[in-house]
């Protein structure tokens, strides 16, 4: 699994 | 998009609408913490800076504008239009004790040391504690109007539903964001005792009375 910032979330 | 995130966003919108209606209909912001509302406005301002630079979807842009506009309107109603009804004495939480640690933590722990990323991280950390002045005010006054408790329930549910959304995205998309998850868990835990009181009291038609 990859750790990342969810850019599509509010 | 998944059902948990959609439900979370709708609970968030519902909370904001409840609050605006309460203030507008009763023409009073008694029992509401203006400091928490200032912190929420700051959360949206620092998180949605990319509103004009990054287009994700119509839904995403509309919701960002809605959150920015509604938080601004709430602060305006509380500190300008209905300022006479603002209970300054009970809204005494020192928000600098929240702002400074969140700022320092966002400089230390972030995904990328850039202005946008640090501000986004600051907004995530700040959002997790932004409700504290409101919960502090309810504990000081010892009670809350039922409309205020519905507002808090919807607001607390939004981030709890986001936790389910992150579990879903971890399972389905095998992606996760530890900063958002950690802050979201803290944020939801802060509501736990309120959730308990809400379910055991308010839903039974009683007033929300905190043990003084």
């Amino acid at each position: 699994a990859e750790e990342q910032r969810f850019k599509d979330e509010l | 998009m998944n059902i948990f995130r959609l439900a979370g966003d709708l609970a968030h919108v519902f909370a904001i609408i409840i609050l605006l209606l309460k203030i507008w209909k009763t023409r009073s912001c008694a029992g509401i913490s203006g400091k928490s509302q200032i912190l929420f406005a700051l959360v949206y301002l620092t998180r949605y800076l990319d509103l004009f630079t990054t287009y994700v979807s119509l839904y995403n842009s509309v919701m960002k504008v809605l959150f920015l506009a509604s938080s601004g309107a709430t602060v305006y109603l509380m500190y300008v239009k209905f300022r006479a009804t603002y209970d300054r004495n009970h809204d005494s939480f020192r928000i600098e004790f929240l702002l400074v640690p969140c700022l320092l933590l966002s400089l230390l722990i972030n995904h990328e040391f850039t202005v946008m990323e640090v501000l986004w991280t600051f907004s995530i950390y700040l959002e997790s504690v932004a409700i504290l002045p409101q919960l502090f005010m309810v504990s000081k006054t010892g009670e809350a109007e039922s409309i205020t408790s519905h507002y808090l329930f919807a607001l607390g549910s939004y981030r709890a539903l986001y936790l389910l959304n992150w579990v879903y995205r971890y399972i389905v998309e095998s992606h996760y964001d530890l900063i958002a998850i950690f802050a979201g868990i803290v944020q939801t835990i802060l509501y736990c005792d309120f959730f308990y009181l809400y379910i055991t009291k308010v839903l039974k038609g009683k007033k929300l009375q905190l043990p003084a």
Side-chain angles (χ1 to χ4, degrees):
Chain A
E2 185 191 338
E3 216 268 336
Q4 62 150 15
R5 155 129 105 86
F6 288 126
K7 295 198 186 299
D8 60 341
E9 293 192 349
L10 289 171
Chain B
M1 175 59 83
N2 59 69
I3 185 66
F4 302 111
R5 186 147 68 89
L6 183 60
D9 290 340
L10 293 181
H12 194 182
V13 169
F14 192 51
I16 289 173
I17 290 171
I18 291 177
L19 183 63
L20 277 173
L21 276 181
K22 176 254 184 290
I23 296 176
W24 188 254
K25 288 269 185 234
T26 64
R27 302 183 72 74
S28 158
C29 51
I32 304 297
S33 162
K35 296 189 172 183
S36 277
Q37 297 311 315
I38 288 174
L39 292 178
F40 284 127
L42 195 55
V43 163
Y44 302 133
L45 281 170
T46 51
R47 189 176 305 178
Y48 300 151
L49 295 170
D50 62 352
L51 177 61
F52 302 110
T53 58
T54 316
Y55 180 77
V56 174
S57 69
L58 182 62
Y59 171 83
N60 189 274
S61 300
V62 166
M63 294 295 259
K64 285 178 179 176
V65 168
L66 178 66
F67 290 157
L68 285 165
S70 58
S71 61
T74 304
V75 170
Y76 167 77
L77 288 178
M78 291 196 70
Y79 284 94
V80 178
K81 194 154 179 59
F82 301 124
R83 62 179 292 118
T85 65
Y86 170 48
D87 183 357
R88 195 175 297 277
N89 300 326
H90 286 118
D91 193 11
S92 54
F93 197 96
R94 303 286 301 277
I95 56 174
E96 50 273 35
F97 292 160
L98 300 176
L99 289 165
V100 174
C102 287
L103 185 61
L104 293 177
L105 195 61
S106 64
L107 289 167
L108 291 173
I109 304 175
N110 51 61
H111 288 301
E112 188 189 357
F113 197 74
T114 61
V115 171
M116 292 294 275
E117 271 305 305
V118 168
L119 284 176
W120 175 84
T121 311
F122 169 72
S123 94
I124 289 290
Y125 294 150
L126 185 62
E127 186 189 6
S128 64
V129 293
I131 200 62
L132 277 175
Q134 179 65 64
L135 296 178
F136 181 75
M137 184 175 195
V138 170
S139 67
K140 275 194 83 173
T141 51
E143 62 178 10
E145 289 173 33
S146 61
I147 188 76
T148 307
S149 51
H150 297 318
Y151 158 71
L152 286 171
F153 182 73
L155 199 59
S157 309
Y158 131 70
R159 213 60 179 172
L161 286 162
Y162 256 69
L163 292 177
L164 298 179
N165 152 62
W166 290 321
V167 169
Y168 177 89
R169 295 192 83 166
Y170 175 73
I171 294 170
V172 172
E173 302 169 25
S174 72
H175 287 164
Y176 61 99
D177 177 355
L178 286 180
I179 287 177
I181 290 171
F182 168 74
I185 289 172
V186 168
Q187 183 167 339
T188 304
I189 287 175
L190 290 178
Y191 282 87
C192 282
D193 66 326
F194 167 76
F195 280 147
Y196 172 74
L197 287 169
Y198 183 81
I199 289 164
T200 56
K201 292 220 173 131
V202 177
L203 291 189
K204 294 198 171 86
K206 295 183 199 136
K207 207 169 167 55
L208 182 81
Q209 304 273 347
L210 285 182

